[in-house]
Amino acid sequence: MSPQELRAGASLAGIFGLRMLGLFLILPVFAVHAPQLAGGDNLTLVGIALGAYGLAQAVLQIPFGMASDRWGRKPLLIAGLAIFAAGSFLAAGAQDIWMTIAGRTLQGAGAISAVVMALAADLTREQHRVKTMAMVGATIGFSFALSLVAAPALYLVIGMGGLFSLTGVLALAAIAVVIWLVPEAPRRVHAAEGAGRGALRKALRDPQLLRLNAGIFVLHSVQMAMFVVLPPMGVAKGLSATLASFFFTCHPVQTLARSTMSCWM
């Protein structure tokens, strides 16, 4: 890979990492915090609050990608991250579950994943594109693992509002990465608008893509359901009085960190 391709891959991975770390920090602790919000004792609404992000992403990924074809990748990245940050700060001040749902939906409306992938394709040669995607994927995986460990401790220190605010700050940091570190993409000529609509209709009807989309939808639904049900269930069963020990203390139920930490006597 050329130095510019390495810079492109590292900076785009950094954008994903900053954004996804903030997003993932919410998941392990939100369902336990939710009863403190007005209406937060309704698990259906808690599930909607967690899933609203993904649903908004699913609806707006293609429009964001098409808009980036017309107005450029970096302007759409900045706009999407700004929307994501606005949703984070809205959720940070939420006093009820409905305001949290609104904030999470606004977070998801900053649907930049497709734009990042398109920019990665613009900035790298085909033979090195998989390496760039691997850098992005590794960063997402690391962010997810780190969030499972860090979220309970951070929640005890800064609370849920602080976590949402931190998410917004990380999104603003990602905007700085876009402005100062991501290379400028070469100007490309895209298909005519009519041809683009035809290609979109064909893609939406493709049986293989429909199967893939359905599988990803089920995967994400199960993942969100786990974060809605398991943390409150663990606390209700007496795993711990605090979220920190919920993740790290010795208990008959195996926890995520038990393989790397000794049981407290």
Side-chain angles (χ1 to χ4, degrees):
M1 296 178 71
S2 69
Q4 175 153 324
E5 287 173 322
L6 284 172
R7 177 186 167 193
S11 58
L12 292 175
I15 292 169
F16 252 114
L18 288 169
R19 176 170 168 266
M20 300 309 290
L21 176 61
L23 177 66
F24 290 147
L25 285 172
I26 305 301
L27 299 181
V29 295
F30 180 75
V32 177
H33 170 81
Q36 301 179 34
L37 301 171
D41 54 348
N42 186 326
L43 286 182
T44 299
L45 294 179
V46 174
I48 292 173
L50 287 176
Y53 173 89
L55 290 174
Q57 286 272 304
V59 171
L60 293 173
Q61 283 292 345
I62 292 177
F64 257 79
M66 295 174 68
S68 74
D69 288 343
R70 173 170 295 188
W71 290 299
R73 311 294 191 208
K74 292 180 73 171
L76 264 294
L77 280 179
I78 294 170
L81 288 167
I83 293 171
F84 180 87
S88 300
F89 293 127
L90 177 63
Q95 300 298 316
D96 59 68
I97 193 68
W98 292 104
M99 186 64 72
T100 304
I101 291 172
R104 291 281 295 170
T105 303
L106 190 57
Q107 280 185 318
I112 63 167
S113 297
V115 183
V116 173
M117 295 296 100
L119 183 55
D122 290 343
L123 294 173
T124 56
R125 290 167 290 172
E126 185 173 355
Q127 61 267 36
H128 297 301
R129 202 159 292 155
V130 174
K131 300 174 186 177
T132 302
M133 301 302 178
M135 294 171 67
V136 172
T139 303
I140 295 173
F142 175 76
S143 299
F144 184 73
L146 178 61
S147 71
L148 294 178
V149 177
L154 285 173
Y155 176 74
L156 290 176
V157 175
I158 62 178
M160 184 56 63
L163 283 176
F164 274 118
S165 296
L166 177 60
T167 299
V169 170
L170 290 174
L172 296 178
I175 291 178
V177 173
V178 174
I179 294 173
W180 287 303
L181 296 181
V182 176
E184 291 293 336
R187 183 67 180 173
R188 296 183 182 273
V189 178
H190 297 281
E193 186 176 352
R197 286 198 298 267
L200 176 60
R201 286 194 294 268
K202 182 178 179 181
L204 292 176
R205 296 172 182 172
D206 187 291
Q208 296 296 331
L209 285 178
L210 288 174
R211 287 173 54 194
L212 177 64
N213 294 338
I216 293 173
F217 178 82
V218 171
L219 173 65
H220 285 196
S221 298
V222 172
Q223 183 187 45
M224 291 301 103
M226 289 174 60
F227 281 118
V228 170
V229 175
L230 294 183
M233 182 183 295
V235 172
K237 292 295 184 181
L239 281 179
S240 171
T242 66
L243 286 171
S245 54
F246 167 72
F247 275 84
F248 297 120
T249 57
C250 178
H251 189 273
V253 177
Q254 296 292 330
T255 64
L256 291 170
R258 189 170 179 180
S259 61
T260 57
M261 299 186 68
S262 300
C263 291
W264 293 356
M265 301 305 292

